[in-house]
Amino acid sequence: MAEKILAQITSAIADLKATHPVGRVTAVAAGTVQVSGVSAVARVGDRAEIHTASRAISGEVVRLEPDVAHILTDGLADGICINDRVVLKAPPKFAPDISWIGRVIDPDGVPIDGKTLLPGLTQRNLRMLPPPRINGARWGNGWKRESLFSTPCCLWPKGNGSAYSPDQVSESPR
């Protein structure tokens, strides 16, 4: 048990970076920020923090050009000025562990309750393809036969005044 916790702490420390690329805001539009000075090292999907005079605003790199990177802010772009500092960070890495059960985390992997959360030992790719289908046979226009017969509520809407149930088909709506 103690060895596992020590390995988790070692893994978390190994992922820390002492330096991060820094750029400057060159343009601001509705929800997007144009940043210079980081396009050579930025990748689409990287996280960024825009440091304004009053707060830090998180965002994600969504477009790259030779001289600028475009960042989509997580919230309102209010208060962002030209020449505000932008710090690039790597995309969050998720390594779930059994200790995560019952915890709620935000999209950046930070626990909402503010308590610490040790990563597991195996990282997971968040942008991976879905698993392959088990039963690949489709029926008709894409419906699986099992789904069609096991969920009759999808075939006959129940009525609360807006739709008819099977026993109300011959009655008038009023």
Side-chain angles (χ1 to χ4, degrees):
M1 179 75 168
E3 294 87 18
K4 181 181 175 191
I5 293 174
L6 184 61
Q8 288 176 307
I9 293 171
T10 305
S11 175
I13 291 172
D15 287 339
L16 295 177
K17 284 186 161 184
T19 60
H20 296 282
V22 176
R24 296 287 176 177
V25 173
T26 57
V28 181
T32 60
V33 177
Q34 190 174 348
V35 179
S36 66
V38 294
S39 61
V41 293
R43 297 173 303 190
V44 172
D46 281 351
R47 299 294 297 164
E49 273 187 1
I50 303 159
H51 294 274
T52 68
S54 61
R55 63 186 176 125
I57 302 170
S58 297
E60 182 178 341
V61 177
V62 293
R63 180 176 167 194
L64 292 171
E65 295 179 12
D67 296 332
V68 294
H70 296 266
I71 297 174
L72 179 66
T73 59
D74 288 344
L76 296 174
D78 295 348
I80 299 176
C81 299
I82 302 297
N83 282 335
D84 277 347
R85 189 169 53 104
V86 178
V87 179
L88 277 185
K89 299 189 174 188
K93 296 179 181 178
F94 287 95
D97 185 59
I98 194 76
S99 64
W100 285 29
I101 294 176
R103 302 288 300 275
V104 179
I105 59 172
D106 70 5
D108 293 324
V110 179
I112 293 192
D113 59 9
K115 298 178 183 175
T116 58
L117 184 68
L118 287 176
L121 300 176
T122 306
Q123 291 186 358
R124 304 283 184 219
N125 183 4
L126 293 180
R127 300 181 191 263
M128 57 192 281
L129 294 173
R133 293 183 289 163
I134 294 173
N135 182 2
R138 294 281 177 181
W139 184 55
N141 59 356
W143 288 85
K144 279 196 170 184
R145 193 174 314 122
E146 300 85 30
S147 298
L148 199 60
F149 295 118
S150 66
T151 55
C153 61
C154 296
L155 300 175
W156 293 99
K158 302 287 183 201
N160 62 353
S162 61
Y164 299 108
S165 61
D167 56 320
Q168 296 175 330
V169 172
S170 62
E171 297 178 14
S172 66
R174 295 186 179 189

